């Protein structure tokens, strides 16, 4: 029996005038949609990881404004358990010439309705859950995150 090891990830919900910044990426040979998200790296804070992943996957520098929530998710595709810390933020600057991470097709700005219409392309159900939590619940202070 192999040891159970949760994977710590971060994600961002970046909204601008009713549209949300998503990442179109290749996963398992198909194009899927997700929030900018990725794994926490050694010697990195959760906030640093969220900002880094967003710029690496979208080319957008962002300012984080709060914590949306903390999620525990076991992926049905591989059985791996992920602890996701999801942040809210706003876009500051976009560098369209920035080279994005391997497997990333590019950023997309979509409304909630446009996201729902593409449910078959979601990387996971956390995509809409994070957006809905952002829309329906007050944000938690970034001071909740301690290094």
């Amino acid at each position: 029996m192999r040891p159970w090891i949760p994977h710590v990830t971060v994600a961002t919900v970046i909204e601008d005038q009713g549209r949300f910044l998503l990442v179109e990426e290749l996963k398992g040979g198909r194009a899927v949609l997700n929030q900018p998200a990725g794994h926490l790296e050694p010697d990195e804070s959760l906030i640093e990881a969220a900002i880094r992943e967003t710029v690496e996957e979208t080319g957008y520098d962002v300012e984080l404004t709060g914590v949306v929530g903390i999620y525990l998710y076991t992926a049905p595709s591989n059985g791996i358990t992920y602890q996701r810390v999801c942040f809210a933020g706003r876009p500051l600057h976009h560098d369209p010439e920035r080279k994005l991470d391997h497997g990333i097709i590019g950023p997309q700005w979509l409304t909630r309705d446009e996201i729902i219409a593409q449910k078959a392309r979601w990387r996971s159900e956390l995509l809409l859950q994070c957006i809905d939590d952002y829309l329906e619940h007050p944000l938690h202070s970034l001071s909740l995150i301690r290094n």
Side-chain angles (χ1 to χ4, degrees):
M1 179 179 207
R2 70 175 201 214
W4 179 76
I5 302 170
H7 296 255
V8 178
T9 62
V10 294
T12 57
V13 174
I14 307 299
E15 186 211 3
D16 188 29
Q17 300 178 21
R19 294 191 174 276
F20 296 93
L21 178 62
L22 299 185
V23 175
E24 185 177 21
E25 60 185 331
L26 292 173
K27 186 70 178 172
R30 66 184 197 103
V32 298
L33 297 171
N34 196 18
Q35 271 103 17
H39 292 266
L40 179 68
E41 294 184 354
D43 301 318
E44 182 176 51
S45 75
L46 291 165
I47 289 171
E48 290 167 342
I51 292 169
R52 175 187 53 76
E53 286 290 352
T54 302
V55 75
E56 287 178 354
E57 293 189 350
T58 69
Y60 279 89
D61 290 307
V62 297
E63 175 186 27
L64 300 183
T65 56
V67 178
V68 175
I70 300 170
Y71 305 83
L72 199 59
Y73 175 75
T74 300
S77 61
N78 59 18
I80 294 175
T81 299
Y82 299 91
Q83 181 182 22
R84 173 188 269 202
V85 180
C86 186
F87 295 89
R90 64 182 188 89
L92 298 175
H93 173 263
H94 183 235
D95 179 0
E97 302 302 315
R98 181 178 174 87
K99 184 176 178 355
L100 304 179
D101 278 354
H102 177 74
I104 302 294
I105 297 168
Q108 289 196 15
W109 287 94
L110 300 174
T111 65
R112 184 180 182 279
D113 288 343
E114 290 169 333
I115 293 166
I116 289 171
Q118 298 188 54
K119 184 175 182 177
R121 296 186 60 213
W122 297 355
R123 182 157 177 184
S124 83
E125 62 267 12
L126 284 178
L127 171 61
L128 189 63
Q129 184 176 359
C130 290
I131 288 172
D132 283 348
D133 287 348
Y134 165 81
L135 292 170
E136 296 170 8
H137 302 286
L139 292 178
H140 303 279
S141 170
L142 288 173
S143 67
L144 177 71
I145 306 299
R146 308 286 170 95
N147 293 332

